[in-house]
Amino acid sequence: MTAAARRAAAGGGAPIVAGAVVQGTGHLASGRGCQDAFKAAAGHGGGGPATTGGRPLVLAVADGAGSRDRSALGAHLAVDAACRLLATDVPPADGGAAVWRGWIGERSVAVVDAYLRAVRAVLAADHPDPADDADDADDTGMVGAAGTVDSAQADEGALAATLVAAVLRPPWVAFLALGDCFATVLTRTRPGDDNDGHGGDGDEGSHGERCRLVLPPRTPAVFLSTPGARASVTTLVLREPDLSGVVLATDGCAPLALDHPSVLGLPDDHGPLAAPDFFGPLAALLRANGGDAEPLRALLSGPAAARSGDDLTVLCALCPDGARWL
Amino acid sequence: MTTATGATGTRIGFGSGWDERQPVIVLLDTSASMNRPAHDPPIASLNRALTRGFDAVRDRDRLRSRVEVCLVAFDSRVRVFDIAAGAFRPPEEADREALFSPLDGLRPPELTAGGYTCMVPALRFALDLARRRRRDLSARQVPVVRPLIWLLTDGAPSDEAGARLGAAEIAATAEQLRQAEHDDECVLFVIGVRGADREVLEALAPQATHLLEDLDFGRILDIVFQSSDRTGHLRATEISDRLRTHAENARTLDSLEGDHR
């Protein structure tokens, strides 16, 4: 599937929102369709900086479980739920950290519940028996009839998906993640900053921008349909005065977009790093072409990206001129 | 660093070192029966397949970047391929850090056949190796999925004196393998060729024993590599289903090639 470049709002100075999803070569070889999905939406309510049109911006990327029959549908339900529920009642740009943390914590539960409700509605439509256990289920996943819980959860597992979502209202960015999708933030460097592009210590970056992996892929992956998913959601709130972009990706992109710490001579337990040679030029490319996602799609469809084998999805929100959002 | 260029000429590079690793241990039966019949010994076919098989997968980017292979040969003794030395060696003499190689880094030497079929110590060694490899890679923060062990044999296990072992005598090893699979430490697949004892082999891998007597080793190795690709999150039965599909495709190819000739 190809996605054209997207803009959250029209007019000069609007953030660039561009994404692409590409079927993995492994999926192609085994006859499985693409099971990733992404979505971006403008949030409701003003009060943000001019570069977001005064409105918050919501990004979501989901990865359907490879071995599950209907996980592509599950991925679409996940990004839809995230974009609906994260677009409303967003705290103001001058809100405090506690307000933002409380809000994203509450919304992360709401997103999981909304996904489960949507999944159960799909399953109920398949089995429109009034006594169907899906109709009896409450938000916690419990059902009324003894012995049907496992069955209901097994059905929900057919639509299993992982999710990462971000809400941008600079200088704040709030994330939620469940599973092995990952998130990277881009920040402008200031004169005198040490920058290797990774957002850590090192040499001056070539793009005047740092990339920092803020939500690394987590394994083993937990899915939205996994029992107890609510408690497994990771949330993160960042205040980034120098924010210049946010990039979400599915785990298939990990070998393409991440570096092992040994690349920088860091100890192994440092964990993966956002690869500056990927994120810097990608941001520059999208800014230069006004957010046309076709080169991104072509890149992810190319032979060099085939080594991943998995479906590949990248969704970016970038400050148009690379300047700070604030 | 792998790179790609966007339509506007901006060069975008890819990260390095974060590819998910799939350790694969291939156990090769080199017992005396692999020399029979003398006019067409299976060991010769296996040697040809090893050379061609590794050549063939070198141009498959995904396999090259993900799959790392360790070769183990067993007859009356167990030997493991030491990549640094370029030779099979007894496990205690091999460099433990040089047992796994990316597919494009492996050039196996010619195997010779002889001796008995000491499969059980080979399996135990492979099990230990699989656990150790996964632990080592995890400790180095390298993404790694559950190792796969592929056993290729034309017979049935024997003891060091050549006495054939039955299902009861390999039960303890079979239980260890099942426990390891349950604990997600590794998965064993058994591929039997001409002369393989299905009943005993199925005691080792009840859901994952496949007799591919009608396919040559070239096809079998191709199936092994194809079936080792992106299997980290699949159940053993799902991998077996995939293997059956690959085997059926290989038979179809053989049939078409036969018709063509």
Side-chain angles (χ1 to χ4, degrees), chain B residues 56-250:
Chain B
V57 294
R58 283 190 184 103
D59 61 355
R60 296 190 198 173
D61 279 349
R62 196 168 71 249
L63 283 175
R64 279 196 298 124
S65 61
R66 292 174 47 81
V67 176
E68 55 171 38
V69 180
C70 170
L71 294 179
V72 177
F74 64 94
D75 38 56
S76 295
R77 55 198 178 131
V78 177
R79 290 163 298 143
V80 61
F81 186 60
D82 184 324
I83 294 148
F88 281 92
R89 290 171 178 259
E92 61 276 13
E93 294 176 16
D95 178 357
R96 289 264 175 178
E97 298 299 313
L99 302 184
F100 285 86
S101 164
L103 282 170
D104 54 349
L106 205 64
R107 298 194 181 277
E110 187 162 323
L111 295 165
T112 56
Y116 304 125
T117 313
C118 290
M119 188 186 294
V120 168
L123 284 166
R124 288 191 173 144
F125 171 67
L127 184 53
D128 178 60
L129 197 59
R131 287 172 171 151
R132 191 187 299 259
R133 185 62 179 170
R134 189 172 193 186
R135 196 168 56 233
D136 288 351
L137 289 174
S138 296
R140 285 159 43 194
Q141 297 288 308
V142 175
V144 55
V145 294
R146 168 195 56 187
L148 304 179
I149 301 172
W150 295 90
L151 168 64
L152 273 64
T153 180
D154 70 337
S158 70
D159 65 15
E160 291 174 355
R164 202 171 172 113
L165 302 179
E169 290 152 307
I170 61 170
T173 302
E175 177 55 29
Q176 282 183 353
L177 289 162
R178 269 194 285 277
Q179 187 61 45
E181 185 173 329
H182 178 267
D183 295 342
D184 213 27
E185 293 178 328
C186 65
V187 188
L188 169 70
F189 296 92
V190 177
I191 294 184
V193 296
R194 280 174 296 180
D197 185 330
R198 175 192 283 269
E199 186 180 342
V200 175
L201 297 178
E202 282 185 341
L204 291 169
Q207 306 292 325
T209 293
H210 303 268
L211 293 194
L212 303 180
E213 297 162 300
D214 53 336
L215 295 177
D216 67 29
F217 277 111
R219 291 270 191 246
I220 289 171
L221 269 190
D222 197 42
I223 288 168
V224 166
F225 292 137
Q226 286 185 63
S227 303
S228 299
D229 185 20
R230 295 207 61 79
T231 61
H233 309 295
L234 297 182
R235 292 188 292 270
T237 51
E238 291 172 316
I239 302 174
S240 277
D241 288 343
R242 189 182 285 190
L243 187 150
R244 273 188 279 275
T245 302
H246 290 317
E248 200 49 50
N249 292 341

Side-chain angles (χ1 to χ4, degrees), chain A residues 224-265:
Chain A
L224 287 160
S225 55
T226 303
R230 279 171 156 191
S232 299
V233 179
T234 299
T235 59
L236 176 69
V237 173
L238 299 175
R239 188 178 188 282
E240 290 285 359
D242 296 322
L243 184 74
S244 56
V246 172
V247 183
L248 307 182
T250 50
D251 71 315
C253 298
L256 310 179
L258 303 181
D259 282 333
H260 190 274
S262 60
V263 170
L264 273 194

Side-chain angles (χ1 to χ4, degrees), chain A residues 25-27 29-30 32 67 217 251 254-261 263 268-272 275 277-278 281-282 284-285 289 295 299-300 303-310, chain B residues 1-20 61-63 65-66 136-144 229-230 233-235 238 242 246:
Chain A
T25 52
H27 284 229
S30 60
R32 281 176 294 154
S67 59
D251 71 315
L256 310 179
L258 303 181
D259 282 333
H260 190 274
V263 170
D268 292 337
D269 60 6
H270 187 285
D277 286 347
F278 178 79
L282 174 64
L285 178 83
N289 71 14
L299 175 72
L300 299 178
R307 77 179 210 240
S308 166
D310 202 356
Chain B
M1 171 74 69
T2 307
T3 59
T5 305
T8 62
T10 304
R11 196 164 183 77
I12 300 175
F14 286 143
S16 59
W18 205 254
D19 292 276
E20 192 175 63
D61 279 349
R62 196 168 71 249
L63 283 175
S65 61
R66 292 174 47 81
D136 288 351
L137 289 174
S138 296
R140 285 159 43 194
Q141 297 288 308
V142 175
V144 55
D229 185 20
R230 295 207 61 79
H233 309 295
L234 297 182
R235 292 188 292 270
E238 291 172 316
R242 189 182 285 190
H246 290 317

Side-chain angles (χ1 to χ4, degrees), chain A residues 22-80:
Chain A
V22 170
Q23 183 183 17
T25 52
H27 284 229
L28 194 62
S30 60
R32 281 176 294 154
C34 179
Q35 294 162 319
D36 282 359
F38 75 86
K39 189 171 183 178
H44 305 296
T51 44
T52 58
R55 299 169 69 182
L57 182 61
V58 185
L59 310 174
V61 162
D63 180 356
S67 59
R68 311 295 171 85
D69 290 344
R70 305 173 74 183
S71 63
L73 176 57
H76 284 275
L77 293 174
V79 296
D80 182 69

